């Protein structure tokens, strides 16, 4: 793991790093003198580790809860090269959206393939993050990621006992319910009532599938990308309850 | 309106009152020197204004948000006499529960009748509360009531423009969706995923029916009475967003 840059703004230090060929970012409180519980952020489709919504959520968790927060560019996203298959999928996906055709089967297949590549990457990133000063090695770890961040996060959490609380949502179907049935950690789960991309029944079925004793589903009106900001605030309190 | 007792504990003043033959209770911060936004609490079936869950929620809102909070005994509850019809309903309801028979139709009918009596009582109580020192007359008003508190609260809010934010849940069916379609204020709505008393589809349909632009549905596992305490905390933040 190699740190390539460090900047600081409004109480938050942002350190960019690479682990092998995976570019990452780590945010932490500028005034921290001790190790902090870690939250991993999974970005959405077409996004990357420095996407405004990712950085905004990271800063929220650092400033509001004193957490250390990390994100990586997933395969084919951000600074990482796209495979021919990625390019083909994106073209087909955009075509279907433009034609108003359903995309959930295509998405589920693409996401399952992406997750198979991304889960080991997240695991080795977590290994590396636990060696970093300011990150509480061996401590509780949270994961937050909706949409594609859930498609990767559910297999990750199913495989990774170090993650002890997770925020998911805006996804369902495919392999996810079967994997969710193995997950017992506390879950906060968001659903957009008028989601045009993922069928409501699939999202409800995924919530239903988690074996967790504590799992809250938060539904709000609006389309896939219109989740209200107060859900980010709510997820911070969820992590504060479970990680601190 | 007549105050009949005043006690104080842990920063909260509790004043009991009557308006006509309606017994009420008003909680407010012991150290308040100004008028506070008001939250009305609707108790559940078989409960009353001094039921532990009602008093606990009231104290939470007073201590956590500095609100004034009021509750009344609904017809046939607490200190108020039961009609022959009430007694008959309760016996029939308990019978059906004991036999494992569905109760939602019986409940919807009983609740609609109760709401017709209770809505004007809440309205005259609100008139009276707005004359009380420490309550912000003309200010924003919240309503929180689940289960039977929603059966009464939805018709109340549909009829009462002074209420500007409401917490509902654990109910649905009967006349409620039609009334909810007239409601546009912000709503926080709770559903217990394993509710044995009210059909899940009815509760989801009631959430769906509200015409509110901001409406959040919070689902948790467990039976009708097993709502987690963090939903009370969440409702406090909801009221803080909308009433302060």
């Amino acid at each position: 793991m190699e740190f390539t840059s460090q900047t600081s703004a409004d109480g938050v230090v942002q350190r960019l790093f690479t682990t092998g060929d995976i570019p990452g970012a780590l945010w932490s409180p500028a005034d921290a003198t001790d190790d902090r519980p870690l939250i991993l952020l999974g970005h959405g489709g077409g996004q990357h580790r420095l996407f405004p919504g990712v950085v905004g959520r990271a800063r929220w968790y650092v400033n509001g809860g004193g957490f250390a927060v990390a994100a990586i560019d997933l395969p084919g996203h951000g600074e990482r090269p796209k495979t021919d298959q990625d390019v083909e999928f994106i073209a087909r996906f955009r075509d279907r959206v433009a034609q108003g055709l359903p995309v959930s089967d295509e998405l589920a297949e693409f996401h399952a393939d992406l997750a198979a590549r991304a889960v080991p990457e997240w695991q080795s990133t977590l290994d590396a993050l636990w060696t970093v000063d300011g990150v509480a090695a061996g401590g509780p770890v949270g994961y937050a990621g909706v949409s594609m961040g859930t498609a990767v996060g559910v297999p990750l959490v199913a495989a990774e006992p170090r993650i002890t609380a997770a925020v998911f949502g805006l996804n369902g179907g495919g392999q996810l319910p079967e994997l969710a049935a193995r997950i017992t950690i506390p879950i906060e789960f968001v659903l957009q009532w008028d989601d045009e991309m993922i069928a409501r029944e699939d999202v409800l079925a995924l919530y239903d599938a988690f074996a967790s004793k504590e799992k809250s589903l938060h539904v709000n009106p609006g389309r896939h990308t219109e989740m209200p900001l107060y859900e980010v605030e709510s997820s911070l309190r969820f992590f504060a309850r479970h990680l601190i």
Side-chain angles (χ1 to χ4, degrees), chain A:
Chain A
M1 181 180 216
E2 197 183 341
F3 283 97
T4 55
S5 90
Q6 172 163 341
T7 53
S8 183
D10 299 324
V12 179
V13 175
Q14 173 177 291
R15 285 179 279 179
L16 302 186
F17 64 84
T18 55
T19 313
D21 58 350
I22 307 163
L26 176 63
W27 299 268
S28 54
D31 61 358
T33 54
D34 54 345
D35 293 343
R36 298 306 174 87
L38 179 65
I39 298 173
L40 309 177
L41 291 191
H43 66 71
Q47 304 180 354
H48 54 81
R49 77 198 192 291
L50 298 178
F51 193 78
V54 176
V55 178
R57 190 183 277 259
R59 299 186 62 89
W60 198 279
Y61 291 161
V62 172
N63 279 326
F67 292 100
V69 182
I72 57 174
D73 283 351
L74 293 185
H77 289 75
E79 296 181 5
R80 302 187 63 187
K82 288 181 175 48
T83 62
D84 291 349
Q85 226 181 350
D86 291 337
V87 173
E88 206 178 287
F89 165 76
I90 293 166
R92 197 168 65 243
F93 177 79
R94 288 192 179 149
D95 254 17
R96 292 186 68 88
V97 168
Q99 292 175 54
L101 295 170
V103 291
S104 44
D105 288 351
E106 280 74 11
L107 267 181
E109 191 186 331
F110 176 72
H111 282 167
D113 177 66
L114 181 77
R117 291 180 279 159
V119 166
E121 295 185 355
W122 262 125
Q123 292 184 298
S124 60
T125 302
L126 180 52
D127 295 343
L129 286 166
W130 271 10
T131 68
V132 174
D133 235 39
V135 173
V141 176
Y143 176 90
V146 297
S147 193
M148 196 181 81
T150 286
V152 170
V154 168
L156 172 64
V157 170
E160 183 46 79
R162 288 178 287 182
I163 299 175
T164 53
V167 172
F168 291 134
L170 308 185
N171 215 333
Q175 65 174 350
L176 297 179
E178 198 185 322
L179 291 165
R182 299 184 212 160
I183 292 176
T184 58
I185 62 170
I187 300 292
E188 192 162 283
F189 192 94
V190 295
L191 183 165
Q192 288 293 109
W193 200 238
D194 312 295
D195 196 320
E196 74 285 8
M197 215 179 300
I198 314 284
R200 186 190 292 170
E201 300 66 39
D202 287 351
V203 187
L204 285 172
L206 177 53
Y207 167 73
D208 194 40
F210 287 100
S212 311
K213 201 176 146 198
E214 181 184 333
K215 53 176 183 178
S216 286
L217 167 69
H218 289 188
V219 180
N220 291 285
R223 292 159 65 89
H224 190 72
T225 57
E226 294 177 338
M227 189 186 79
L229 189 61
Y230 55 74
E231 290 299 346
V232 177
E233 197 198 323
S234 176
S235 69
L236 167 61
R237 288 185 303 266
F238 168 79
F239 283 129
R241 274 208 307 281
H242 292 291
L243 303 182
I244 295 179

